[in-house]
Amino acid sequence: MNTPVILIVQHEDGAGPGLIGTRIAAAGVRPDLRQPWRGDPLPRSLEGIDGLLVLGGVPGVGDVDRAPWLPSVADLLRRAVRAEVPTLGVCLGGQLLAHACGGAVARASAPQIGLFPLTARPAAAQDALFAGLPDGAPAVQWHYDEITELPPGAVPLLCCPDFPNQAFRLGPAAWGVQFHPEVLVESVEPWARDDSGKLAELGLDVHAMLTEIAAAEPALRTIWGRMADRWIDLVVRRASGGAETAASP
């Protein structure tokens, strides 16, 4: 069997694959990292690609002047859903998946920044990625926009009180998440420095937030590392000719 390949789209510096990238490397899967803001071209098709990971970033789904590659990413996401290529969209990536496939994204009434517990919806109990998720699983959030409407046919999986669309599945092999399963405290620290002015305006205690995320890091590694491993397993199975399903493994 050829080595499975995951196409990773990174939208900006400091927003790489993090924990998910570590799990990809541990599985012996080859990452094909594209950084279009640095001039990397995006493929026009998914031929030879066994999985698609689209990461987060500051641009909104409609900020094509700021990030002119976004329509190409949206097209890749639609192709992946149609072809049932295992796909994971994170934060902006999840918003792009929703937007590209008929959902809606808008500015949130208030940003969600820090560590927040998630609640599993009934469908998550049988989902390939989220089955067995502990109640109140902690997740790092860092978003000013939100998914306000899921695409037609999408299955809602995770929620929290102010942001009901924290995770969804589209078809048998595409997932979008609003939170950051790839992020640990070492990634959040520079984000906090870059957004220091905005966080001060929001009245957030940055030191307390970073301390909370650092304390939760063992749980973050366990919970979201397991989710990443399950998604990577779907990629490997597809590369070997196996079928992917939405049901739990």
Side-chain angles (χ1 to χ4, degrees):
M1 181 186 76
N2 293 330
T3 301
V5 177
I6 292 177
L7 175 66
I8 304 174
V9 180
Q10 181 179 340
H11 297 286
E12 62 189 46
D13 196 21
L19 177 62
I20 298 176
T22 300
R23 303 312 304 160
I24 289 172
V29 174
R30 183 169 70 84
D32 180 358
L33 178 63
R34 305 293 179 101
Q35 299 174 322
W37 89 94
R38 287 181 168 163
D40 291 349
L42 292 172
R44 295 188 178 183
S45 79
L46 293 171
E47 183 177 356
I49 300 298
D50 303 298
L52 174 61
L53 173 61
V54 180
L55 298 168
V58 173
V61 297
D63 288 342
V64 294
D65 290 339
R66 182 177 190 174
W69 58 86
L70 291 179
S72 295
V73 179
D75 182 61
L76 285 173
L77 287 164
R78 284 189 291 266
R79 289 171 181 265
V81 172
R82 289 196 297 267
E84 299 183 5
V85 173
T87 296
L88 181 59
V90 172
C91 199
L92 171 58
Q95 294 168 2
L96 280 168
L97 177 63
H99 175 74
C101 295
V105 177
R107 198 69 168 175
S109 58
Q112 187 181 31
I113 296 172
L115 193 71
F116 293 83
L118 299 181
T119 298
R121 294 184 181 273
Q126 301 301 319
D127 184 72
L129 301 193
F130 297 111
L133 191 78
D135 187 45
V140 175
Q141 307 278 357
W142 206 284
H143 61 98
Y144 295 83
D145 294 347
E146 65 170 317
I147 301 166
T148 56
E149 183 180 341
L150 294 179
V155 178
L157 297 169
L158 303 178
C159 63
C160 66
D162 295 327
F163 296 90
N165 299 316
Q166 286 287 348
F168 66 94
R169 186 182 68 246
L170 192 56
W175 285 265
V177 300
Q178 182 61 84
F179 59 99
H180 282 278
E182 85 286 13
V183 162
L184 301 171
V185 71
E186 66 179 4
S187 297
V188 178
E189 288 171 340
W191 294 359
R193 288 194 298 269
D194 291 344
D195 277 4
S196 59
K198 292 180 181 178
L199 301 185
E201 290 176 4
L202 294 169
L204 290 179
D205 185 333
V206 174
H207 176 73
M209 176 186 68
L210 294 176
T211 299
E212 184 181 27
I213 294 172
E217 192 159 296
L220 297 174
R221 287 183 181 276
T222 298
I223 295 168
W224 306 121
R226 180 171 59 239
M227 183 214 74
D229 289 344
R230 289 177 173 182
W231 180 71
I232 294 163
D233 183 62
L234 294 179
V235 174
V236 173
R237 281 196 277 163
R238 185 180 194 275
S240 65
E244 309 84 36
T245 66
S248 60

